[in-house]
Amino acid sequence: RELLAEMLRTEGVDVRLEPTVQPNGQDASDKNPGLHLQLKATKQRIPLDDGWLSFALDVKTYDRLRELAVSTTRLLVVFLLPEDEQLWLDQSEDELVLRKCAYWISLRGAPDSQNSDSQTVYLPVTQVFSTQALRSLATRLSRLETIPWKERA
């Protein structure tokens, strides 16, 4: 468990979504490559400019996420939480509710940072991290599509 946690830290990811064995017993990894997520959350108001959110990301994580020489797609997911921590999460037997919204972006192929501490990352508000987005990403990955960095327009 500690080794896995250390591996995830050095890869710059928090969550690994990996393919499993299909019901027919065949390995699904050739048609469904994994997806690695770096999760960030903030209760601070994030500036919005012309459909893009700006988020300060540490340069070390930025560099890991922008690498081209990786076989598994890596995404940055930023959760915007309510300022009041009591409103972040509700749970019952019927539902688990995480309030506000999360956005995603691939930094694969993004330019080098000229900064030493943090790099501003721009996330398009059109890329909501949702069930539909995960399905779409899984479909693209199953076609072996690369999810490249999307430059701010």
Side-chain angles (χ1 to χ4, degrees), residues 45-54 103 123-125 152:
R45 291 184 179 238
I46 300 291
L48 175 64
D49 182 25
D50 200 27
W52 294 79
L53 297 163
S54 60
Y103 300 90
L123 299 102
V125 294
R152 182 177 176 192

Side-chain angles (χ1 to χ4, degrees), residues 81-125:
L81 301 169
E83 290 182 32
D84 182 352
E85 293 180 19
Q86 298 298 318
L87 299 175
W88 288 3
L89 186 69
D90 274 328
Q91 180 193 2
S92 71
E93 286 186 24
D94 296 322
E95 63 186 2
L96 176 64
V97 177
L98 178 64
R99 288 202 178 72
K100 291 222 43 178
C101 196
Y103 300 90
W104 68 271
I105 191 161
S106 170
L107 296 176
R108 182 185 181 101
D112 287 338
S113 177
Q114 303 303 311
N115 305 326
S116 58
D117 294 325
S118 68
Q119 174 65 43
T120 300
V121 174
Y122 296 94
L123 299 102
V125 294

Side-chain angles (χ1 to χ4, degrees), residues 3-87:
L3 178 60
L4 177 58
E6 181 59 30
M7 286 173 51
L8 291 175
R9 275 193 298 278
T10 59
E11 288 181 20
V13 298
D14 292 317
V15 174
R16 299 172 122 191
L17 303 175
E18 302 291 345
T20 60
V21 175
Q22 297 176 348
N24 62 7
Q26 293 181 334
D27 183 3
S29 60
D30 59 337
K31 294 183 181 176
N32 298 299
L35 179 62
H36 292 179
L37 306 176
Q38 173 63 55
L39 306 176
K40 299 292 182 183
T42 183
K43 64 180 183 178
Q44 296 177 347
R45 291 184 179 238
I46 300 291
L48 175 64
D49 182 25
D50 200 27
W52 294 79
L53 297 163
S54 60
F55 181 78
L57 184 66
D58 66 278
V59 171
K60 186 176 179 181
T61 301
Y62 175 80
D63 284 340
R64 287 180 181 148
L65 292 174
R66 64 180 205 82
E67 289 179 19
L68 292 171
V70 293
S71 60
T72 303
T73 298
R74 297 174 176 178
L75 300 179
L76 172 65
V77 178
V78 178
F79 288 86
L80 306 183
L81 301 169
E83 290 182 32
D84 182 352
E85 293 180 19
Q86 298 298 318
L87 299 175

